[in-house]
Every structure is written in C-alpha cells, then in structure tokens.
Amino acid sequence: MMNSSGDEAVEGAVTLGLLAAWVLHDLEELATVPGWWRRNLPALRERYPTVPEAVWRRAGSVEGREFAVAVGAMAAVVASASVAGRLTGGRSATYQTALNAFGLHGLVHLAQAGLVRGYTPGSATAPLIVVPFTLWARRRLRRAGVLRATRPRDLAVGLGFAGAATVAAHGVARRLTRG
C-alpha cells in the first residue's frame, strides 16, 4: 500500500506483525502466569506490604483457564487494531495507539522484573520481541510518512488503552469462567 507522498509502502509485516508479535509475547505469559503467581505471591506480599490486600487477593485468584480466556479477549482487541492498521496503510489512530501501548507494555514488563529483581511473566519476550518490534514498526511508519507525532499525551493514552483493554479482557474472562 503506497502513501500519498510516494514514500515507502507500509507492508503487512508492520501492521499485522503487531498481532504476530503480541501472540509470541502472550504465549510466554500463558505458559508462565498462573504458576508464577502461586510461587511468588507470598514473597511479593512480604516485600511490598503497602500494596492493598485486595490487589494480592485478585492476583492470586486468577486461574489458568480465566487467564487464557482473558488472553483470547485481548487477542480480539489486538487483531482489530492490526487489521485497522493494515486497511489504512498504518494510518489508523487505533493501530498506532495499540502499537504504542504494546511497546509501553513491554517496558512495564521490564520494570516489573526490576522491581521483583528477577523473572516476571512477559519479561523474557519484552526485550526480545515487544520493544524491538515496536521500534521497528514505528521506524517503518515514519519512513512511509504516516507515523503521527508522539507527544507525552499520546504515551499516556497508549498506557491507558493497554490498561483499559487489560481490565476489560479480565472482566470478560471472569464473567465467562465463573458465571
């Protein structure tokens, strides 16, 4: 797909690649989240006593099936954003926001690993897939002349998008798995 200025096309690897990178990242999370929480929750409670008990209870109550359904719900969000990006040659505000959210999500994983001083689910693929893909895709969008300028407000919107989508996906999963 060519843009109006005749610069480089934004190929499917940039737009649909968001979904592919997300799948690889979330496979790590699917494989590790439930067991990781069971093993680490007592130590985290002790290390971070100011975190409200309700947060620890909620984190500890997520079962593998519920988490898998939440990942599926999030897949629908990421797939929709990726398709919107593909259909618009990368111009879609939804796609660009989701791309920013994905990259910021990777940085959050790295910060989490730093806080616990070790592995956290998602922290292996964050520096290998999430952050590099996001930077590469943003470079490709910039080269094609379709990347919107990113202001601090856009970063906040990206984090908000990721947070809201995560909360919604877990809400759907809880409702579907616990009736």
Side-chain angles (χ1 to χ4, degrees):
M1 206 175 274
M2 296 297 285
N3 70 15
S4 60
S5 67
D7 293 341
E8 279 188 42
V10 173
E11 66 273 6
V14 174
T15 54
L16 299 178
L18 172 60
L19 179 59
W22 178 86
V23 166
L24 292 172
H25 171 67
D26 267 47
L27 285 173
E28 176 194 2
E29 291 184 338
L30 277 169
T32 59
V33 164
W36 187 90
W37 274 114
R38 278 192 303 281
R39 288 187 307 278
N40 291 281
L41 193 56
L44 291 171
R45 272 188 166 119
E46 190 173 311
R47 187 181 294 166
Y48 301 104
T50 58
V51 172
E53 183 57 30
V55 171
W56 297 128
R57 272 195 312 276
R58 176 67 178 114
S61 72
V62 177
E63 299 167 359
R65 184 169 160 249
E66 180 182 331
F67 186 74
V69 171
V71 168
M74 185 64 83
V77 173
V78 177
S80 296
S82 296
V83 168
R86 182 67 183 142
L87 293 174
T88 62
R91 289 176 179 80
S92 164
T94 300
Y95 165 73
Q96 290 192 22
T97 298
L99 179 64
N100 289 339
F102 184 60
L104 292 167
H105 168 79
L107 296 177
V108 168
H109 276 298
L110 295 175
Q112 289 170 336
L115 282 172
V116 302
R117 298 180 213 124
Y119 176 80
T120 58
S123 66
T125 53
L128 299 175
I129 295 171
V130 177
V131 173
F133 173 81
T134 301
L135 294 173
W136 173 81
R138 287 179 53 80
R139 266 193 314 275
R140 298 300 301 213
L141 293 171
R142 187 176 301 110
R143 204 175 298 155
V146 299
L147 182 66
R148 295 174 315 147
T150 305
R151 303 163 304 211
R153 176 187 169 298
D154 298 317
L155 298 177
V157 168
L159 279 174
F161 178 87
T166 300
V167 168
H170 281 277
V172 165
R174 183 157 282 228
R175 176 161 272 193
L176 290 175
T177 60
R178 298 190 181 186

